Amino acid sequence: MIGTPVTFVSRTISKEAFQNTVLYGYVNSWRPEIVFTQKQHQVISLVMQRKTDRYIAQEMSISLKTLSIHKYNIMLLLNIRKFSHLLTHRFAVYFCNETTGYLLASSGSK
């Protein structure tokens, strides 16, 4: 799974379109708005858990400079000017735990 992009699927997608996405990686007429890499997904997940940059860099075994590059690329994908706006972005709901309401990682967290 390393290097496999993470794709967010609309909650209103049809059953058939979802099956095609899972089985074949695409839908005939539907394309995801944004596709994150696994590293970008991990950064977003850790940020949503309110982890510090130093902690995230250490957890991912990368430098703070590399982390800032990941964050910059995420900002470009989401078209946001400040990384803190990620918490209120419409995609933030995908990282929200329904039982507690807190923003948490959907996968890959400890």
Side-chain angles (χ1 to χ4, degrees):
M1 298 280 298
I2 294 175
T4 303
V6 176
T7 304
F8 291 95
V9 178
S10 171
R11 292 176 189 232
T12 60
I13 192 171
S14 70
K15 181 180 175 182
E16 295 79 22
F18 180 74
Q19 288 174 336
N20 286 337
T21 301
V22 172
L23 295 174
Y24 308 112
Y26 69 95
V27 177
N28 293 342
S29 63
W30 179 83
R31 294 280 182 237
E33 290 181 45
I34 297 174
V35 178
F36 295 113
T37 65
Q38 189 172 3
K39 290 285 189 180
Q40 290 169 338
H41 184 265
Q42 188 176 8
V43 168
I44 294 170
S45 297
L46 291 168
V47 166
M48 292 296 187
Q49 294 177 48
R50 309 253 198 259
K51 302 298 182 188
T52 64
D53 284 354
R54 190 175 302 263
Y55 176 86
I56 294 170
Q58 187 176 20
E59 181 75 16
M60 295 177 65
S61 301
I62 59 175
S63 70
L64 288 171
K65 178 70 173 176
T66 302
L67 175 61
S68 67
I69 292 169
H70 283 306
K71 290 170 75 173
Y72 178 76
N73 288 332
I74 291 167
M75 288 171 54
L76 288 176
L77 284 170
L78 296 176
N79 196 25
I80 55 177
R81 291 185 178 206
K82 291 184 179 180
F83 198 74
S84 60
H85 293 163
L86 175 69
L87 298 173
T88 58
H89 195 276
R90 63 188 173 111
F91 287 113
V93 68
Y94 288 102
F95 295 93
C96 187
N97 183 335
E98 293 177 9
T99 57
T100 63
Y102 294 111
L103 296 171
L104 297 172
S106 58
S107 64
S109 65
K110 290 185 177 181

